[in-house]
Amino acid sequence: MNKTNADSSLPALPQTPHTRTLVALIGLLFAAAFLLGMGALINIARNLNSEELQKSYFYTQKALETRTATSAALISSFAVWDSAYDHLNGIADTQWAYKERNLGDPLFINNGYEGVFVIDRKSTKYGLLNGRLTEVALSRYLDTSLGSLIDAAQDAAAQARAVDRFALFNGWPALVTAAAIQPGDDGTRVDPASLSVMIFVDQLTPAKLLKLGQAYGLTGLAIEAPGVQTSSRPQLNLGRTGYRLTWDQPRPGNDLLWSVVPPLLAAGMVLCLLLGYFFRFALRTSQQMDSNYRVLKVSNQALEASEERFRAVAEAASDWIWETDEQGRILYLSTRFVAVTGFTSDDWLGKPLEQLLHCDTLPIDTWLADLRNSQPHTAHLRCTYRDHCAQPRYCRVSARPILQDGQVAGFRGTASDITDEVAAHAQIQHLSMHDALTGLPNRNLLARHLEEALGRLSHPPGNHGNAHGLTLLLLDLDDFKPINDTLGHPVGDAVLLEVAKRLRDATREQDLVARLGGDEFLMVLSGLTNDKEIDRFCARLIESMRQPIVHGDQQLYIGASMGIAQSHLQGPDPTELIRCADIALYAAKAEGKNTWRYFSAQMNEEIQHRRHLENELRLAVKNHEFILHYQPRYELDGMTIVSVEALVRWDHPIEGLISPDAFIPLAEQTELIVPLGRWVLREACETARHWPGDLMVSVNLSPAQFSRSDVVADVRETLIQTGLPAHRLELEITENVMLNDIDNALHIMNALKELGVRLNMDDFGTGYSSLGYLRTYPFDSIKIDKRFIAAMALGSNDRAVVQAIINLGKAMGLKVTAEGVETEQQLALLNSDACHEVQGFYMSRPIDKLALGRLLAQQDEARLPSRSA
């Protein structure tokens, strides 16, 4: 009686409406799931039908391809045959072909060919119709262009293969296979245009289609005439005949639906009955839960204290939990504390918290005292401690007062381990100031070091400051790029690591070695200002750099060039010091490898001169101050001009004609090479358009044009605008183009070949892997570097190199040109070595287009008598 009264005094929250809502939601979810399942099943059936349809298309195409390949192989065995060539290529030998059954009725009886014909461009020389001789021309039966069929078969004669197409034969679709009749593989070479053509006609009759369909699991394989529509059957066009190949569409998905849907519907009905029973049971249970709810509310009050503790844990998202009494002694440590620190809880229970945790900025007891006097809230503090192995660790500590009857009875908090976070932050700080590969200081740390060191020099503290200045050595590696490009970046990285080690070993503790990027390093030497000492240091450093670097089973060799700037001479500005060192490095590399140069005012003047020349070059490009000279290229057999190389000259208004060696490198560095290269290409093509015959013009392409412009678009636009036939344009490309970007260069060259232009590898023999490039890239010709030509008369080794290049070019089907021919002896040697073409001062120097016009006219006049004869 008392319990009932107590329960009735508590408010009750009805649960039945919520249960009804839940029951309705479950019913809707079940219906949705059932509908989704049905939809998925229908989709699966549709996909099965679609996949089976695609398979039927595949097998139909495969069946046609197999029949085509079989016919091509059979006709090739008859056409590429010495006897067939002897008896059929001239006047057809009917005795040999039909009566001796070499090309007779077995082809109809055994192979099913309704028509077998031998034709040329004039007539049908031999014909079988259904295994019997016929004198009717093939054009009466076959509805296709015999001329194009003959052209295709003769074009394929070089590969000894057949061609095929679908056409109408006697008004019915047939597979027509043709092959040029030629000798077998006995080395005999004949003109393809003179060959007769053998033709097999295979009509796609219903009997053949039935057999073909059975072989590939296709039912109802048949021919559909034009104008007949069978939308429910798949179709495959038979060439341009207008007829289509059709077959029955397999539908496994429909079978799946008929086998699955009825049982699925029956199961759904059973589940509906079960759910109805479940819903009724749930509603009754909900009513019983309503009566028990008030009793559960009393039990919830007993859990509030425990919920408060775990609420604090959830708010702090900590690793381990701690509690202390009012004096800060530890009363509780969670089990996570053991896993993180390695201690046991008993090791620290009863000890002050500040004995476990330490903060450099604020004592723990002072922090907790501040929490006592403030409003109850959670506070955070970064602390350190040592784990059971005495290793330092970091944690983020949170705390809040424990209140009992409004009084602070202790503190509760969490500690989140942030050791990895602190280490990661330190690593980030290190990476921001150091090179990721070598570990050397980077530009950021270098700038800070220079500012601090130069600041100390400007304001020395008593006698302890360094009053002798700083010396900056900017070092650039020689011969590093070939290693990095040919052996790969991993090998290049290994070289950079070894260089960094040698530089650190060569410097003192107070010096700084930084990597600026790529293969550039900067050394900041403190107190080393005597030039003799610096020279000795540089000599030792270069000697160290020249020592071989062992990587795997390879020995790699590099060198170094250095530019030197000194703060007591060039001033205390860090940026200016680095600029001066860079100018000195530029001068050192210009004078050769493995050397060093001090910055001087004269170097700065040279840089200013270079900038002045750059400005003049920009104006020259804008004002079109360039002209082209042309150097002919002669065919050794007859010494006739077959090509002309376009060479650009700068017609300077003051200095006159300037050779390309003086301004092309500058144009490549300043990106002026792009508009200049386009002008040269357009001017050369426009001039060559008026030359007689098929005389080619050869234009050099700079590697910078490949990387900074769309070369393919430039060439295409130039050919369209000038009207020069593509086969009369030859582009000369050096190996540096391939070294810079192998994949992109190959893509561009293939695109250029698709335009129809010719490609020539210039300076062949001087690169690192020219033979590999010849095998990979679509070159039409090669130019032997003039250094080999100049030396070939001096020794047998150089001539042997030239002979080897000529033989290599011939073996690969390439034209070989020798450039730089300057003596009669050189010309005679190249003639005896059977070189294809020559170019050089001995035949003609580069001349303007007017002089070239006269030279070409003279050559035409020299040919006139032979032409009239």
Side-chain angles (χ1 to χ4, degrees):
M1 183 67 180
N2 293 336
K3 181 178 179 180
T4 303
N5 291 337
D7 293 345
S8 62
S9 65
L10 296 174
L13 296 178
Q15 300 297 318
T16 303
H18 298 288
T19 304
R20 290 172 180 169
T21 302
L22 180 61
V23 166
L25 181 60
I26 293 174
L28 289 175
L29 289 176
F30 173 77
F34 185 82
L35 292 176
L36 285 175
M38 291 295 295
L41 186 60
I42 294 172
N43 187 54
I44 290 173
R46 186 183 296 113
N47 290 339
L48 285 174
N49 289 340
S50 177
E51 290 176 2
E52 202 62 30
L53 178 61
Q54 294 300 322
K55 287 182 181 179
S56 69
Y57 269 107
F58 170 80
Y59 286 123
T60 304
Q61 292 174 341
K62 189 66 177 178
L64 291 179
E65 290 172 0
T66 301
R67 194 166 190 90
T68 301
T70 301
S71 183
L74 183 61
I75 195 172
S76 295
S77 67
F78 279 89
V80 184
W81 184 18
D82 292 336
S83 295
Y85 178 80
D86 295 336
H87 292 279
L88 298 177
N89 204 54
I91 299 176
D93 186 352
T94 306
Q95 173 70 23
W96 176 87
Y98 181 74
K99 293 183 178 181
E100 295 181 12
R101 307 185 76 183
N102 287 303
L103 198 68
D105 56 0
L107 288 173
F108 171 73
I109 298 171
N110 299 329
N111 302 104
Y113 288 109
E114 286 79 1
V116 177
F117 297 90
V118 176
I119 66 173
D120 58 17
R121 297 186 182 276
K122 297 179 180 180
S123 64
T124 299
K125 301 164 61 175
Y126 175 78
L128 287 182
L129 183 63
N130 294 330
R132 296 184 178 182
L133 281 173
T134 178
E135 294 182 357
V136 180
L138 176 59
S139 58
R140 295 282 302 274
Y141 300 108
L142 193 62
D143 183 18
T144 187
S145 172
L146 293 181
S148 64
L149 187 62
I150 292 173
D151 290 340
Q154 290 176 345
D155 290 342
Q159 291 81 29
R161 62 181 179 82
V163 298
D164 57 80
R165 63 182 61 175
F166 288 103
L168 295 181
F169 184 77
N170 276 343
W172 189 256
L175 172 63
V176 179
T177 310
I181 301 174
Q182 56 183 319
D185 190 15
D186 60 353
T188 303
R189 294 292 180 267
V190 295
D191 182 9
S194 67
L195 299 178
S196 297
V197 175
M198 183 182 295
I199 296 176
F200 287 179
V201 180
D202 182 13
Q203 279 190 312
L204 300 180
T205 62
K208 292 180 182 179
L209 293 178
L210 176 62
K211 185 176 180 181
L212 192 64
Q214 291 173 348
Y216 284 87
L218 302 169
T219 59
L221 196 63
I223 297 293
E224 184 177 274
V228 179
Q229 296 294 332
T230 56
S231 57
S232 62
R233 289 167 60 86
Q235 302 173 356
L236 189 65
N237 290 331
L238 294 175
R240 299 181 180 178
T241 62
Y243 284 76
R244 298 178 294 273
L245 193 63
T246 67
W247 61 94
D248 296 334
Q249 180 180 351
R251 299 181 183 273
N254 295 0
D255 299 335
L256 175 65
L257 289 177
W258 283 110
S259 61
V260 173
V261 169
L264 186 62
L265 291 175
M269 294 180 63
V270 173
L271 286 176
C272 288
L273 295 174
L274 293 176
L275 281 176
Y277 175 80
F278 167 76
F279 292 160
R280 182 181 179 188
F281 176 80
L283 289 173
R284 289 183 176 180
T285 305
S286 176
Q287 293 173 355
Q288 295 177 358
M289 292 175 62
D290 287 343
S291 64
N292 296 330
Y293 174 78
R294 290 173 294 176
V295 178
L296 292 176
K297 191 174 187 303
V298 177
S299 301
N300 288 339
Q301 293 177 348
L303 299 176
E304 287 181 354
S306 177
E307 288 179 353
E308 183 179 359
R309 176 182 298 170
F310 289 99
R311 188 180 304 114
V313 175
E315 290 174 355
S318 63
D319 281 339
W320 46 277
I321 307 169
W322 57 268
E323 285 185 8
T324 67
D325 59 12
E326 188 178 358
Q327 288 74 33
R329 293 188 296 267
I330 299 173
L331 299 178
Y332 170 78
L333 292 170
S334 66
T335 56
R336 183 65 180 163
F337 170 80
V338 178
V340 173
T341 66
F343 295 114
T344 64
S345 300
D346 295 338
D347 294 334
W348 288 97
L349 291 178
K351 295 181 180 180
L353 182 64
E354 62 181 4
Q355 186 176 340
L356 173 63
L357 303 176
H358 172 72
C359 180
D360 294 331
T361 58
L362 182 65
I364 297 293
D365 55 352
T366 303
W367 178 56
L368 294 178
D370 292 340
L371 290 179
R372 181 195 304 271
N373 300 326
S374 61
Q375 293 294 328
H377 68 281
T378 302
H380 299 276
L381 190 68
R382 175 172 162 173
C383 299
T384 61
Y385 66 94
R386 291 188 176 273
D387 61 15
H388 73 292
C389 297
Q391 297 297 321
R393 300 188 69 85
Y394 298 85
C395 63
R396 184 180 293 110
V397 180
S398 65
R400 64 186 305 168
I402 300 175
L403 300 179
Q404 290 183 356
D405 299 329
Q407 300 294 323
V408 176
F411 297 92
R412 177 185 298 123
T414 60
S416 301
D417 190 87
I418 58 171
T419 304
D420 293 339
E421 178 183 332
V422 172
H425 180 73
Q427 179 68 10
I428 292 172
Q429 290 293 105
H430 177 82
L431 291 176
S432 67
M433 293 293 177
H434 292 79
D435 176 55
L437 174 63
T438 62
L440 294 177
N442 59 13
R443 290 181 181 269
N444 297 329
L445 185 54
L446 172 66
R448 179 184 298 181
H449 176 82
L450 286 176
E451 288 180 3
E452 294 176 354
L454 293 171
R456 288 195 299 269
L457 291 175
S458 301
H459 305 283
N463 295 327
H464 300 287
N466 185 351
H468 299 291
L470 299 179
T471 298
L472 272 65
L473 271 69
L474 184 59
L475 180 145
D476 185 85
L477 299 181
D478 298 327
D479 300 323
F480 173 73
K481 190 176 186 303
I483 293 175
N484 201 44
D485 290 341
T486 58
L487 300 181
H489 292 294
V491 178
D493 291 346
V495 171
L496 292 176
L497 286 170
E498 178 61 23
V499 169
K501 177 181 180 299
R502 294 182 183 183
L503 293 179
R504 281 194 295 261
D505 293 342
T507 53
R508 303 162 299 177
E509 183 177 353
Q510 66 267 31
D511 300 329
L512 180 77
V513 180
R515 183 189 178 201
L516 302 185
D519 58 345
E520 271 195 341
F521 298 85
L522 183 69
M523 288 171 283
V524 182
L525 309 179
S526 301
L528 188 64
T529 58
N530 184 279
D531 288 355
K532 291 183 179 180
E533 294 181 355
I534 295 174
D535 289 342
R536 286 194 294 269
F537 176 81
C538 291
R540 291 196 304 270
L541 191 60
I542 286 180
E543 183 61 27
S544 173
M545 291 294 106
R546 295 179 64 180
Q547 296 303 312
I549 297 175
V550 179
H551 181 77
D553 57 351
Q554 303 179 81
Q555 285 193 343
L556 309 176
Y557 292 89
I558 59 171
S561 300
M562 290 179 286
I564 303 172
Q566 297 167 295
S567 63
H568 67 281
L569 296 178
Q570 280 78 51
D573 182 23
T575 303
E576 181 65 16
L577 282 173
I578 296 176
R579 188 186 75 86
C580 292
D582 188 49
I583 293 174
L585 174 63
Y586 182 83
K589 294 186 77 68
E591 295 188 23
K593 301 178 181 179
N594 296 312
T595 187
W596 65 93
R597 290 293 179 269
Y598 292 87
F599 174 80
S600 65
Q602 180 183 359
M603 293 180 184
N604 198 36
E605 292 175 359
E606 293 174 355
I607 294 298
Q608 295 302 325
H609 173 72
R610 181 179 180 275
R611 291 176 179 172
H612 175 70
L613 184 62
E614 177 184 336
N615 293 332
E616 284 194 330
L617 185 59
R618 291 185 184 277
L619 291 175
V621 173
K622 181 179 179 181
N623 298 332
H624 304 293
E625 296 177 359
F626 298 94
I627 62 173
L628 290 184
H629 281 187
Y630 301 90
Q631 186 175 26
R633 197 165 79 210
Y634 292 81
E635 188 175 40
L636 260 175
D637 186 10
M639 290 303 292
T640 57
I641 300 174
V642 293
S643 179
V644 178
E645 182 177 0
L647 302 170
V648 66
R649 302 288 188 267
W650 182 2
D651 190 8
H652 196 280
I654 299 176
E655 300 181 14
L657 287 182
I658 300 177
S659 68
D661 294 339
F663 63 87
I664 289 297
L666 182 60
E668 291 178 333
Q669 296 171 12
T670 57
E671 297 189 0
L672 293 173
I673 191 65
V674 175
L676 178 57
R678 288 172 181 163
W679 179 87
V680 170
L681 182 64
R682 184 173 287 104
E683 179 69 15
C685 292
E686 181 64 32
T687 303
R689 187 168 61 91
H690 303 287
W691 293 344
D694 288 335
L695 187 63
M696 288 192 304
V697 62
S698 184
V699 179
N700 292 279
L701 286 186
S702 166
Q705 290 176 261
F706 273 72
S707 59
R708 299 174 187 170
S709 67
D710 189 344
V711 176
V712 179
D714 293 343
V715 173
R716 181 189 296 109
E717 182 179 355
T718 299
L719 292 174
I720 293 173
Q721 291 179 354
T722 61
L724 180 72
H727 71 275
R728 293 183 58 193
L729 174 61
E730 180 181 71
L731 302 176
E732 296 196 18
I733 302 170
T734 62
E735 187 179 356
N736 290 336
V737 170
M738 285 74 79
L739 286 175
N740 292 336
D741 190 345
I742 295 176
D743 295 333
N744 186 53
L746 179 59
H747 172 73
I748 292 175
M749 290 185 195
N750 286 329
L752 289 172
K753 286 296 296 180
E754 291 175 358
L755 296 180
V757 302
R758 294 175 59 85
L759 300 181
N760 186 322
M761 177 182 276
D762 198 9
D763 298 337
F764 181 79
T766 60
Y768 294 94
S769 52
S770 297
L771 178 58
Y773 294 138
L774 284 184
R775 298 178 61 186
T776 305
Y777 292 85
F779 287 104
D780 300 286
S781 54
I782 57 177
K783 265 190 175 182
I784 305 175
D785 187 76
K786 58 186 177 182
R787 285 172 286 185
F788 293 109
I789 306 303
M792 66 182 297
L794 303 179
S796 59
N797 289 339
D798 293 298
R799 185 180 180 189
V801 172
V802 173
Q803 291 173 333
I805 295 176
I806 294 173
N807 293 332
L808 173 64
K810 291 180 178 179
M812 301 187 73
L814 303 175
K815 284 281 187 182
V816 182
T817 302
E819 61 178 347
V821 179
E822 299 183 358
T823 66
E824 182 179 2
Q825 182 184 10
Q826 293 171 355
L827 182 63
L829 291 175
L830 290 169
N831 191 21
S832 65
D833 293 336
C835 185
H836 296 129
E837 299 171 357
V838 291
Q839 181 183 12
F841 288 177
Y842 181 74
M843 284 72 66
S844 173
R845 290 178 174 270
I847 54 180
D848 59 30
K849 62 181 179 181
L850 293 178
L852 177 65
R854 291 192 294 270
L855 182 61
L856 295 177
Q858 293 173 3
Q859 179 173 276
D860 285 344
E861 290 176 0
R863 291 178 178 177
L864 285 177
S866 62
R867 290 178 180 175
S868 60

